[in-house]
Every structure is written in structure tokens, then in C-alpha cells.
């Protein structure tokens, strides 16, 4: 009888499963240690979505608008008659930031009074971004920022502040530079 040396397939699979479990636990624990502050997360998401809206406006020949509130924001599309919430689009729906994050907006260097939050839950745009079926239009919606199909972009500065006082993040948009996220201390675009 001849003995062969080596590992069986089952032994190899058991070792791979154990390595996978240990790696997953390590990544989860490291991820929670290096978590970004809420203001940075909100600023990164807002910058990415604003950039995407600007691109979508050009590619789809539609006018996109961004309505900014002190603790929330939502994207809208102009259909030729009025502004409607982006239909069936969770990316461009209403984003609640909570009381930990505050937004301020400047257009052409002038401070803008932000839209008040909806007075009741029924007045808010649904989270999925769908429009209330009664009118099809959001009554009185006038977004402060416009992303036009021609590629034009009104210069803006959106400041995202957190209660943790880690610094203010800035989402800045210009026609020449596009939309950028600026870090609190350096004032330089983040990577």
C-alpha cells in the first residue's frame, strides 16, 4: 500500500473558509475604527451626486435642479412646465442628513436663504424620489442650483458642517473646474 502526501480537497476548503471569516471580521473591525465623520460622508455624497446630476443633464438633455435645506437636499428635473422629483431614482431622491450635519449655500459669493424643511411628513418628497400622484408636480419647488443640459453651471459653494467640529467641508462648483470637494484645512480638492 502506497501512502500519498498532501491535503484533501475538504481540508483545503475548510482552511479557505476559516481565512475568509477571519478576514471579514478584521475588515469590519478596522472599518468601524476608520469611519469618516458624518459631515465628510455627506459632503462626499453630495459632491458625487451633484457631479452625476451635471453629467446626466448634458447626456439626457434635461435640466436638473438641487433644492438645499439646512439638514437635507433633493434633486429635481424640469419637464418644461415645472420641477418634479426624480422618478424611481433612489440616488436623486431626498437625502435627510439629520441634525449632526448642516448645509449652507453661497451663489456668486452671496449667502442664500435655504428652503425650509417640509412642515409635515406628507409634504416631504417620498424617499424613493417619486412624485405625489395627485398633481405630478412639486408645488412651489424652486431649486437653488441648476445643472443645465448645455453644460452651464452657476458658480456655487456648499458648506457642509458637522457638530463634531472636525472642520467644514466644501462642495464647490464652477464652470471652469466642475464640481469639487474641498477638505477643511487645506482648501484643496480631496482625492
Amino acid at each position: 500500500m502506497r501512502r500519498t502526501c498532501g491535503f484533501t480537497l475538504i481540508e483545503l476548503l475548510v482552511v479557505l473558509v476559516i481565512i475568509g471569516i477571519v478576514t471579514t471580521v478584521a475588515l469590519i473591525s478596522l472599518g468601524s475604527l476608520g469611519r469618516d465623520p458624518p459631515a465628510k460622508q455627506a459632503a462626499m455624497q453630495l459632491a458625487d451626486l451633484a457631479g452625476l446630476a451635471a453629467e446626466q443633464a448634458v447626456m439626457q438633455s434635461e435640466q436638473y435642479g438641487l433644492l438645499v435645506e439646512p439638514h437635507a437636499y433633493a434633486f429635481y428635473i424640469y419637464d418644461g412646465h415645472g420641477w418634479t422629483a426624480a422618478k424611481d431614482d433612489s440616488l436623486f431622491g431626498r437625502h435627510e442628513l439629520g441634525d449632526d450635519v448642516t448645509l449652507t449655500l453661497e451663489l456668486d459669493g452671496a449667502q442664500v436663504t435655504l428652503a425650509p424643511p417640509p412642515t409635515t411628513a406628507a409634504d416631504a418628497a417620498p424617499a424613493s424620489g417619486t412624485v405625489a400622484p395627485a398633481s405630478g408636480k412639486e408645488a412651489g419647488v424652486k431649486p437653488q442650483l441648476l445643472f443645465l443640459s448645455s453644460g452651464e453651471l452657476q458658480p456655487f459653494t456648499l458648506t457642509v458642517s458637522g457638530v463634531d467640529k472636525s472642520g467644514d467641508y466644501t462642495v464647490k462648483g464652477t464652470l471652469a473646474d466642475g464640481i469639487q470637494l474641498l477638505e477643511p484645512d487645506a482648501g484643496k480638492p480631496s482625492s
Side-chain angles (χ1 to χ4, degrees), residues 21-152:
I21 291 170
V22 169
T23 304
T24 302
V25 168
L27 287 175
I28 289 172
S29 65
L30 286 176
S32 64
L33 291 176
R35 192 169 307 245
D36 290 329
K40 182 174 185 178
Q41 290 177 0
M44 289 172 31
Q45 182 181 32
L46 184 54
D48 290 344
L49 289 175
L52 182 60
E55 290 174 11
Q56 291 281 87
V58 172
M59 292 175 61
Q60 295 181 358
S61 296
E62 292 182 319
Q63 316 316 316
Y64 279 74
L66 175 61
L67 180 69
V68 181
E69 299 171 10
H71 302 286
Y73 61 91
F75 289 88
Y76 292 85
I77 300 173
Y78 189 73
D79 65 2
H81 304 290
W83 292 99
T84 59
K87 292 181 182 179
D88 301 324
D89 194 340
S90 62
L91 283 177
F92 292 128
R94 182 175 172 80
H95 294 269
E96 293 285 343
L97 302 176
D99 293 335
D100 291 348
V101 178
T102 303
L103 301 174
T104 56
L105 175 63
E106 289 182 19
L107 292 174
D108 296 322
Q111 189 77 24
V112 174
T113 302
L114 297 181
T119 55
T120 66
D123 294 338
S128 66
T130 57
V131 178
S135 67
K137 305 276 180 282
E138 298 293 329
V141 170
K142 292 186 176 102
Q144 300 100 330
L145 297 178
L146 302 178
F147 306 102
L148 303 178
S149 61
S150 63
E152 293 178 64

Side-chain angles (χ1 to χ4, degrees), residues 170 172 177 179-184 186-191:
T170 304
K172 189 171 188 170
D177 297 326
I179 298 171
Q180 299 178 324
L181 174 60
L182 305 175
E183 294 288 337
K188 297 177 184 173
S190 70
S191 49

